[in-house]
């Protein structure tokens, strides 16, 4: 009996371990005041417009989390500041002058901000800018769209309608109304200023990516390099969704990572110094984000890449979690509703899962003799799959059981496609003909990626 009592007394209970673990977590947080402040800002940006009570809870927890008085006040100020910024930003984004025109026939000049997408039951739709506001133009199958590029002006005849419950997906994109169009025609005018310059660069990049490869592969190349998937054939789109490769045709952190790797590699070969390499990477990130559409996922990737490069430039290595928090604060500061978009959620979930799980998964694989490159690929794919699978199931009522295998098989071809496509887009700013060899070479790994998607989607119960 005495032995049992001694053994039980010497064994720590779960309730006794909890405060020690909590103290360790709090100690790590308190050692990083900037992390706490940016985290508080993110909490305010997310909770302020949606759950004011959660802001009060966060304020009450500030002294417990931060410990000392001054850090606690700073975190509380960050939470309140985030809530106020979100409210002010949403008020500005929601301001509209379209109210008196709703329900009436109108003829307006709008600027195309994205390529038209086919609708499920025929016709097309696209978000346009009407004055300073965003409107969705919808056309039935009988109405033809003119062949104009993003940034070109259109004259649309139709009826402006308010958003309905079925249009809830438009609210995170800050769309104020739907224009049911009966006629769409080009005016021949284009945007000026910086936006016009970017539109022109994007159009030249698109032309460069279309040369030297068949139309279906050109659409896939545009999707992988610029995140423009509207021209993908329906079968390819379905194959990539079923096989778990759909992320390849959405501009994301992978694109920015491969862009920086290409810049650093070429700069090192050319003998360029570290500081100039980092400055070149920053400049290309700043150019690539708007070229790739500027959506929440690519904004997050661009901000994270810029934060890491800037920290390296300053001689202070950036922590991964701080970069993620900074990206969240930046993207939500621009659009507090971005957190409601599935793409934003999955992008952050994938990055967070990779940070938390990838290294722990790769190390055991390497110890068992798996080559380092393959171990990293398996770990990254598994972590991203685990992080995004619940969100995919919630938002799309499906999940891919072949995603891990398909991504591993396709992985060796992804980087060559990206690098050759980026080279074609860059050279195409000067000459579309000079860019053709790069896009033509990209056709070989591109065909392999397309084959993997089709083959994986055809597996039983994929």
């Amino acid at each position: 009996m005495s032995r049992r009592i001694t053994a039980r007394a010497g064994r720590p209970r779960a309730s006794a371990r909890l405060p020690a673990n909590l103290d360790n977590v709090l100690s790590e947080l308190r050692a990083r005041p900037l992390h706490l402040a940016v985290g508080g800002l993110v909490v305010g940006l997310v909770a302020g417009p949606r759950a004011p009570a959660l802001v009060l809870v966060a304020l009450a927890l500030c002294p417990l989390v931060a410990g000392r008085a001054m850090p606690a006040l700073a975190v509380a100020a960050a939470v309140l500041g985030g809530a106020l910024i979100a409210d002010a930003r949403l008020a500005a984004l929601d301001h509209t002058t379209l109210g008196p025109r709703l329900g009436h026939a109108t003829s307006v000049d709008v600027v195309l901000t994205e390529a038209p997408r086919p609708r499920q039951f025929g016709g097309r739709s696209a978000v346009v800018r009407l004055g300073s506001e965003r409107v969705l133009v919808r056309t039935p199958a009988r109405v033809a769209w003119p062949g104009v590029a993003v940034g070109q002006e259109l004259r649309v005849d139709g009826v402006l309608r308010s958003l309905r419950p079925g249009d809830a997906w438009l609210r995170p994109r800050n769309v104020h109304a739907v224009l049911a169009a009966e006629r769409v025609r080009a005016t021949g005018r284009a945007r000026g200023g910086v936006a016009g310059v970017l539109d022109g660069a994007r159009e030249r990049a698109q032309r460069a990516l279309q040369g030297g490869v068949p139309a279906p592969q050109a659409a896939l190349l545009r999707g992988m390099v610029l995140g423009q998937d509207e021209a993908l054939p329906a079968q390819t789109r379905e194959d990539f969704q079923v096989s778990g490769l759909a992320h390849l045709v959405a501009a994301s952190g992978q694109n920015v990572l491969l862009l920086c790797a290409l810049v650093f590699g070429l700069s090192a070969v050319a003998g360029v110094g570290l500081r100039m390499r980092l400055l070149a990477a920053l400049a290309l990130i700043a150019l690539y984000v708007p070229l790739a559409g500027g959506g929440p996922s690519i904004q997050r990737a661009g901000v994270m890449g810029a934060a890491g490069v800037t920290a390296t430039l300053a001689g202070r290595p950036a922590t991964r979690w701080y970069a993620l928090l900074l990206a969240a604060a930046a993207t939500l500061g621009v659009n507090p509703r971005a957190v409601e978009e599935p793409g934003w959620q999955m992008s952050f979930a994938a990055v967070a899962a990779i940070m938390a799980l990838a290294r722990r998964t790769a190390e055991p694989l390497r110890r068992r003799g798996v080559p380092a490159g393959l171990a990293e690929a398996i770990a990254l794919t598994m972590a991203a799959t685990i992080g995004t699978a619940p969100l995919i199931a919630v938002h799309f009522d499906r999940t891919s059981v072949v995603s891990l295998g398909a991504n591993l098989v396709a992985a060796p071809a992804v980087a060559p496609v990206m690098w050759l496509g980026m080279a074609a887009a860059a050279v195409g700013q000067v000459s579309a003909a000079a860019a053709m060899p790069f896009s033509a070479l990209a056709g070989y790994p591109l065909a392999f990626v397309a084959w993997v998607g089709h083959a994986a989607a055809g597996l039983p119960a994929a």
Side-chain angles (χ1 to χ4, degrees):
M1 177 67 71
S2 60
R3 289 180 182 175
R4 291 179 184 174
I5 293 173
T6 303
R8 289 177 182 174
R11 187 183 302 137
R13 293 177 298 174
S15 59
R17 288 197 301 268
L18 182 59
N21 292 338
L22 182 58
D23 282 341
N24 290 337
V25 172
L26 292 176
S27 296
E28 291 183 11
L29 288 174
R30 290 165 184 166
R32 295 175 173 84
L34 281 178
H35 288 61
L36 284 175
V38 179
L41 182 63
V42 171
V43 169
L45 287 166
V46 172
R50 299 171 181 83
L54 186 57
V55 174
L56 296 177
V57 172
L59 292 175
L61 291 175
C62 285
L64 172 64
V65 175
R68 297 188 302 275
M70 286 305 294
L73 288 175
V75 176
V79 174
L80 283 175
L84 293 173
I85 290 171
D87 284 338
R89 185 64 183 144
L90 287 177
L93 292 172
D94 290 341
H95 177 72
T96 179
T97 59
L98 299 178
R101 304 164 71 176
L102 295 177
H104 300 286
T106 185
S107 179
V108 292
D109 291 337
V110 299
V111 176
L112 189 64
T113 61
E114 65 177 26
R117 293 176 178 271
R119 298 173 61 193
Q120 186 175 3
F121 300 107
R124 289 177 174 269
S125 64
V127 174
V128 301
R129 187 165 293 281
L130 173 55
S132 60
E133 303 187 42
R134 292 165 65 86
V135 171
L136 182 78
V137 173
R138 283 182 179 149
T139 62
R142 69 177 184 276
V143 176
W145 279 81
V148 298
V150 172
Q152 299 290 315
E153 190 178 75
L154 299 170
R155 180 156 296 161
V156 183
D157 302 332
V159 178
L160 272 172
R161 306 186 188 278
S162 58
L163 297 182
R164 299 172 182 175
D167 298 321
W169 63 277
L170 293 169
R171 297 189 187 281
R173 305 183 67 185
N174 301 305
V175 172
H176 292 165
V178 172
L179 179 52
E182 293 297 326
R183 186 182 181 190
V184 182
R185 57 194 187 278
T187 66
R189 294 190 293 270
R191 282 193 290 188
V194 175
V197 172
L198 288 173
D199 290 335
R202 187 185 299 113
E203 187 177 357
R204 288 190 292 274
Q206 292 170 0
R207 285 200 300 266
L209 295 174
Q210 291 170 351
V213 288
Q217 289 190 4
L220 181 56
L221 185 59
R222 281 177 56 191
M224 292 184 67
V225 176
L226 298 177
Q228 299 173 358
D229 63 344
E230 64 279 350
L232 280 178
Q235 186 60 55
T236 302
R237 190 188 304 275
E238 176 68 15
D239 288 345
F240 273 50
Q241 289 174 347
V242 173
S243 62
L245 297 178
H247 65 95
L248 295 180
V249 291
S252 65
Q254 179 175 249
N255 299 49
V256 174
L257 174 65
L258 291 172
L259 176 63
C260 289
L262 179 61
V263 172
F264 290 153
L266 294 177
S267 301
V269 171
V272 178
L274 176 60
R275 185 171 296 272
M276 290 305 298
R277 287 186 229 168
L278 297 174
L279 289 173
L282 279 176
L284 286 176
I285 289 173
L287 178 62
Y288 179 70
V289 169
L291 282 181
S297 295
I298 195 62
Q299 286 178 15
R300 186 268 313 159
V303 172
M304 283 197 67
V309 171
T310 303
T312 305
L313 201 72
R316 297 188 301 270
T319 64
R320 296 170 298 170
W321 292 106
Y322 180 68
L324 184 62
L325 288 172
L326 192 64
T331 51
L332 292 175
V334 173
N335 180 13
R337 289 198 180 98
V339 71
E340 300 169 16
E341 291 200 3
W344 191 97
Q345 296 171 15
M346 288 189 287
S347 177
F348 271 81
V351 175
I354 287 171
M355 290 179 180
L357 303 175
R359 183 177 296 177
R360 299 178 183 180
T361 306
E363 288 177 356
L365 291 173
R366 284 195 293 266
R367 286 198 297 268
R368 286 171 171 78
V370 178
L374 180 58
E376 290 290 337
I378 294 174
L380 290 172
T381 303
M382 287 184 64
T385 301
I386 291 170
T388 57
L391 289 170
I392 292 173
V394 167
H395 289 298
F396 306 111
D397 297 325
R398 64 162 56 178
T399 189
S400 173
V401 298
V402 298
S403 174
L404 177 60
N407 277 276
L408 287 175
V409 174
V414 172
V417 170
M418 294 287 190
W419 288 336
L420 289 167
M422 289 172 178
V427 174
Q429 302 302 315
V430 179
S431 168
M436 191 174 295
F438 295 99
S439 56
L441 285 173
Y444 295 100
L446 199 65
F448 177 74
V449 173
W451 174 82
V452 171
H454 182 71
L459 294 175

